Amino acid sequence: AGDPSLTDEDGTRRDMGRYIYYQPYLGPTWYVSSDGDVLNGDGSAGNPLSSILAAINLANEGDEIIVSEGTYSGEGNRDIYFLGKAVTVRSSGSPESTIIDAGGGNRRVFVFEPHGSYPAETDATMIEGFTIQGGYFDNGTDGAGIYINESNVEINNTEISYNTASNVGGGIFSDQSTIVIKNSTISNNSSYLGGGLRADHNSIINIDSTDINSNTAIHRGGGIYASDWAEISISNTNIKWNEAEQ
């Protein structure tokens, strides 16, 4: 308990028990690198953190998290909760070169929802410049790539691909949420309903300048499936090569 040679689930040094851990860097811009020091990284440009979740945990409202190009997986880079914080998480490079891989095993990449004592995310929350892949659920859970519940999120210049949910929303699942998706790609995701995107329960989705292609659904909505008064606005977007049995 509190041993600084061990890490917590976010990939940072284990919480203080009888050991003292001093955090010298206080933002407001936080840096993450696949080569970051797991135990000693403080989030500064010269000493980046090794996981995205660690940066979110340390960030304050309005802060920005810059993620270097690389592949991020494992502890602290899957099932990433934003804890109700209005922060921007963006890549320093291209989506093709900045990959967040959940690694399957009934895990997803990003989660936006009220969580414990933490509130829902607001429209000041944004992710930009990533490939989001490897989300996988075979246990009836929704939203393998990104799960959004009662939250507001902007997704920009991001590729959401190769995520699979046995229930709904292989790429993205939205419930009672407002989402803006711009300049992005939703492709090669799969689920029972809404292979690329499932919008449910009064969700409001605005999609602009985005490609939605090659997604599959066992039942309905290979690319997009909306129900229960969800509203979807689509402009300047290509929707093609999506398949569903019905």
Side-chain angles (χ1 to χ4, degrees), residues 35-114:
D35 297 324
D37 191 315
V38 174
L39 295 178
N40 298 308
D42 62 13
S44 62
N47 189 18
L49 298 160
S50 64
S51 77
I52 297 165
L53 183 55
I56 292 171
N57 287 344
L58 291 170
N60 295 305
E61 288 285 304
D63 285 1
E64 183 178 47
I65 297 167
I66 306 297
V67 182
S68 296
E69 290 187 340
T71 298
Y72 296 83
S73 61
E75 191 175 61
N77 293 307
R78 60 194 181 197
D79 299 325
I80 301 169
Y81 281 86
F82 272 59
L83 307 178
K85 296 179 181 180
V87 298
T88 295
V89 179
R90 66 163 49 99
S91 165
S92 65
S94 68
E96 296 79 11
S97 298
T98 316
I99 300 165
I100 311 173
D101 192 330
N106 289 318
R107 297 183 181 276
R108 57 170 65 94
V109 176
F110 284 119
V111 184
F112 300 93
E113 67 173 348

Side-chain angles (χ1 to χ4, degrees), residues 108 110-113 141-153 155 165 168-181 186 193-207 224-232:
R108 57 170 65 94
F110 284 119
V111 184
F112 300 93
E113 67 173 348
T141 302
D142 305 327
I146 303 175
Y147 179 90
I148 306 170
N149 177 39
E150 299 181 7
S151 298
N152 298 343
V153 180
I155 301 168
V168 302
I172 302 172
F173 173 75
S174 170
D175 188 17
Q176 303 180 77
S177 299
T178 299
I179 309 171
V180 175
I181 303 171
I186 303 171
L193 283 173
L197 165 67
R198 167 70 186 269
D200 208 354
H201 295 121
N202 300 297
S203 288
I204 300 173
I205 316 292
N206 293 295
I207 303 173
I224 300 172
Y225 187 86
S227 62
D228 295 323
W229 299 283
E231 299 179 12
I232 299 180

Side-chain angles (χ1 to χ4, degrees), residues 5-6 15 21 34 52 57 64 69 76 83 98 100 108 112 118 129 132 139 144 154 173 176 188 194 210 214 235:
S5 68
L6 303 175
D15 293 340
Y21 173 50
S34 58
I52 297 165
N57 287 344
E64 183 178 47
E69 290 187 340
L83 307 178
T98 316
I100 311 173
R108 57 170 65 94
F112 300 93
Y118 299 103
I132 294 172
N139 59 3
E154 180 173 334
F173 173 75
Q176 303 180 77
N188 295 290
T210 291
S214 306
S235 59

